[in-house]
Amino acid sequence: MSQFLKQENEYSTERSQGIDFDEAVRLPGGGSTCDIYKTRWQRRDVIVKRLKEPLRSKPLYLDALDKEFDIGVNLRHPSLPDYREFHRDYIIMDYIDGETLAVMIKRNDPWLSKEKNIVAMLRELIDVVDYLHRHNVVHCDIKPDNIMITTNNHNLVLIDFDKSYTDALGDTSGHPAKYGLTKDEKGRVAIDFRGIGMLVERLKSTIPGFKLRGYKQFVKTCYRTDVNCEELRDLLDTPYRGQRSQRPSDRLTLIVGTAIIAAGLLIAYLGELTGREDEPQTNPTEDVIEKDDASDKEEVTEKDDVSDKEVEISTLKTETSEQSSAPRTQAEIHEDAKNKAAALDKEISQFYNRLHIGLDRLIALKEDTTLTGPQLLDSIRRHSDFEDEYFAETFEILNEMFPGLTDMEQWSVLANSKAYTGYTRRAGPELREYGYEIARRYKAEGLSLP
């Protein structure tokens, strides 16, 4: 029970300090109990969640707000908001640049009609729910209104913990009957899984072109009382596993070495280009072109019936042939690769932003001393699955955008891709350290690596 339910006297109507609500901008939404504001606070953009005027003296609602802050301030995850301060009848949180999934559904956002986006969003939702459950928190109100999708990277953020349940605090959790549960089941994790299932059903019924392979099985599994996050992840990944040739036991080696191998190939290629710059530039077709020119001139001289127009066309063809057969300079090759890489980055940046978030999650898991070696290994395998998918998607997009490139030309484009090289350079040392930590925990637990 929080400080508010313990008090016997009526609450003071004195105005809270910290936020100047005359300067704050009230935003739409907020639900039936709170208003939402955006303002500047301590040199940052923040969101302020404040109880509506009639509820600011009622202990039950003050307690719910107090409990939400107590839960939120102790959680750290890329898909959760950052709680800053609690001021009696309002909470200050970092601003999230995005919109709710409910708003996106209402306007039929085309982003929701792509299966890969739905899969990525559900993976992030399952990951954050898994994190909450491991910290003994059940959200109890997973729905489109409580899911934010960021503007730039389309990352998921789960918000609104006022109905959440945790054993550590007094119970002001939500309405289990809404999810087909009894009052005695209000603290069970099943309520969150059913919320995910209902979310997918709503997307299916409202978004034109919605697609999710294994949709029926996924929703059916969400409604089981014994479902877990790992099972839902497997259902999302199953349609893609046939596309991968690596065995799961090979993944640890693969992900540790992927960035190193890629970097080695790029360095070798760039070294080859550097070596070529020292070689004398010759045109192997010069003699042939000269002979063709002489032949053309003789033909014009011998045939009096050849018109000036035909001669002009022949000359243009010869000039075009000379231009197309002349080798490009290294500067031209490099500039072309840079331009292609810039265009490619616009298409693939979202994939690699998600992989960076995945690395952040792995780092957080590595610092969690309660996790076992097998648990860490499972998490790095899941990250490897994402890598496999996004790397394959990168090459598919590259081939679609620039068909006919040789392998070396593709690597040249990737060498200039900020999204690809930025991730692989970071992933190499991070995944190597993660592999060392897995091996250390296996050894400490007396286990052998698979």
Side-chain angles (χ1 to χ4, degrees):
M1 185 178 294
S2 79
Q3 56 174 314
F4 296 109
L5 292 183
K6 293 177 182 178
Q7 296 182 12
E8 296 179 357
N9 299 328
E10 292 186 1
Y11 290 95
S12 169
T13 58
E14 181 183 4
R15 181 172 178 172
S16 300
Q17 301 299 314
I19 293 291
D20 184 354
F21 285 96
D22 291 333
E23 297 294 330
V25 177
R26 183 176 172 182
L27 302 178
S32 59
T33 61
C34 292
D35 293 321
I36 303 296
Y37 300 84
K38 179 186 177 184
T39 189
R40 294 285 293 179
W41 176 80
Q42 295 188 356
R43 296 185 294 180
R44 72 177 69 197
D45 288 332
V46 295
I47 288 293
V48 183
K49 181 177 180 179
R50 191 184 194 191
L51 287 173
K52 293 181 180 295
E53 179 68 34
L55 307 179
R56 293 175 195 164
S57 61
K58 296 185 179 296
L60 181 64
Y61 295 97
L62 289 165
D63 183 66
L65 199 67
D66 180 32
K67 187 199 70 172
E68 177 178 356
F69 181 80
D70 282 346
I71 292 175
V73 76
N74 291 305
L75 299 174
R76 289 291 182 271
H77 190 278
S79 292
L80 292 177
D82 291 321
Y83 284 73
R84 293 297 174 180
E85 282 194 9
F86 174 66
H87 287 257
R88 187 178 179 277
D89 61 11
Y90 66 86
I91 291 172
I92 302 173
M93 298 173 283
D94 279 355
Y95 175 69
I96 302 170
D97 184 13
E99 57 186 353
T100 66
L101 185 59
V103 171
M104 295 176 69
I105 292 174
K106 187 175 181 179
R107 60 180 175 80
N108 289 328
D109 193 303
W111 185 83
L112 295 172
S113 64
K114 295 183 179 180
E115 183 183 21
K116 63 182 180 181
N117 296 338
I118 296 297
V119 172
M121 179 181 68
L122 290 176
R123 281 173 176 160
E124 291 184 13
L125 180 57
I126 293 168
D127 281 348
V128 69
V129 167
D130 188 19
Y131 173 84
L132 292 175
H133 292 177
R134 286 191 289 108
H135 288 77
N136 300 316
V137 175
V138 186
H139 187 275
C140 293
D141 200 20
I142 292 178
K143 59 184 181 180
D145 298 276
N146 291 336
I147 292 174
M148 294 283 294
I149 304 296
T150 62
T151 300
N152 290 333
N153 302 321
H154 286 97
N155 296 325
L156 176 143
V157 181
L158 184 62
I159 61 172
D160 206 349
F161 284 80
D162 62 330
K163 296 181 179 64
S164 297
Y165 178 91
T166 177
D167 294 337
L169 298 170
D171 172 32
T172 56
S173 59
H175 309 287
K178 176 181 175 182
Y179 299 91
L181 300 170
T182 67
K183 292 182 178 180
D184 294 334
E185 297 175 300
K186 57 180 174 287
R188 288 182 54 179
V189 297
I191 193 171
D192 284 347
F193 296 126
R194 294 192 181 193
I196 295 173
M198 293 169 67
L199 170 68
V200 174
E201 285 188 304
R202 180 170 176 184
L203 290 170
K204 175 70 173 177
S205 63
T206 57
I207 298 297
F210 173 86
K211 182 180 179 182
L212 180 64
R213 277 173 280 184
Y215 156 78
K216 292 183 178 179
Q217 181 63 33
F218 183 85
V219 172
K220 182 179 179 181
T221 304
C222 286
Y223 283 99
R224 284 202 350 245
T225 56
D226 60 343
V227 66
N228 57 63
C229 291
E230 193 62 37
E231 188 172 0
L232 292 181
R233 288 192 190 98
D234 287 341
L235 287 175
L236 288 177
D237 291 342
T238 296
Y240 305 97
R241 285 180 176 163
Q243 301 172 10
R244 304 185 181 107
S245 59
Q246 295 90 355
R247 291 178 294 110
S249 59
D250 297 332
R251 293 284 164 76
L252 181 58
T253 302
L254 171 66
I255 58 181
V256 171
T258 297
I260 299 173
I261 293 172
L265 288 171
L266 294 175
I267 291 171
Y269 174 59
L270 294 176
E272 181 180 346
L273 293 182
T274 304
R276 288 178 183 175
E277 292 177 355
D278 299 331
E279 297 177 2
Q281 299 297 318
T282 61
N283 188 343
T285 61
E286 284 179 353
D287 293 340
V288 176
I289 294 172
E290 288 177 0
K291 292 178 181 179
D292 289 342
D293 289 342
S295 176
D296 288 341
K297 291 177 181 178
E298 291 175 1
E299 186 177 353
V300 172
T301 303
E302 293 173 357
K303 297 183 178 180
D304 296 333
D305 58 341
V306 177
S307 67
D308 292 339
K309 186 174 181 179
E310 290 173 328
V311 173
E312 184 180 354
I313 293 173
S314 177
T315 303
L316 288 173
K317 287 182 177 179
T318 302
E319 291 175 353
T320 303
S321 176
E322 290 175 356
Q323 293 173 359
S324 62
S325 61
R328 295 183 299 172
T329 65
Q330 295 304 320
E332 290 172 338
I333 294 174
H334 181 63
E335 187 63 26
D336 182 56
K338 284 177 61 178
N339 292 336
K340 286 182 170 64
L344 178 67
D345 278 339
K346 293 179 181 179
E347 300 297 326
I348 67 173
S349 291
Q350 58 176 326
F351 303 144
Y352 291 91
N353 287 333
R354 290 174 189 150
L355 287 177
H356 278 292
I357 293 174
L359 284 180
D360 292 337
R361 290 171 179 162
L362 289 180
I363 292 171
L365 292 176
K366 185 177 70 173
E367 296 174 354
D368 188 344
T369 57
T370 64
L371 297 179
T372 65
Q375 287 174 321
L376 291 185
L377 183 58
D378 286 341
S379 66
I380 204 170
R381 282 173 172 169
R382 289 196 297 272
H383 186 79
S384 174
D385 288 342
F386 298 151
E387 278 192 332
D388 289 350
E389 181 180 341
Y390 292 153
F391 286 167
E393 188 77 13
T394 296
F395 278 96
E396 287 179 10
I397 292 173
L398 184 59
N399 288 326
E400 289 176 1
M401 294 179 67
F402 312 109
L405 293 182
T406 66
D407 290 345
M408 296 305 288
E409 287 171 335
Q410 287 185 339
W411 282 114
S412 180
V413 173
L414 290 176
N416 287 278
S417 166
K418 294 181 180 179
Y420 182 84
T421 58
Y423 171 74
T424 54
R425 287 171 181 169
R426 181 191 175 199
E430 294 287 6
L431 295 177
R432 186 164 50 248
E433 289 298 321
Y434 202 86
Y436 294 154
E437 180 62 20
I438 291 174
R440 189 192 67 79
R441 295 198 189 185
Y442 263 85
K443 183 177 181 181
E445 294 158 9
L447 302 174
S448 298
L449 278 168

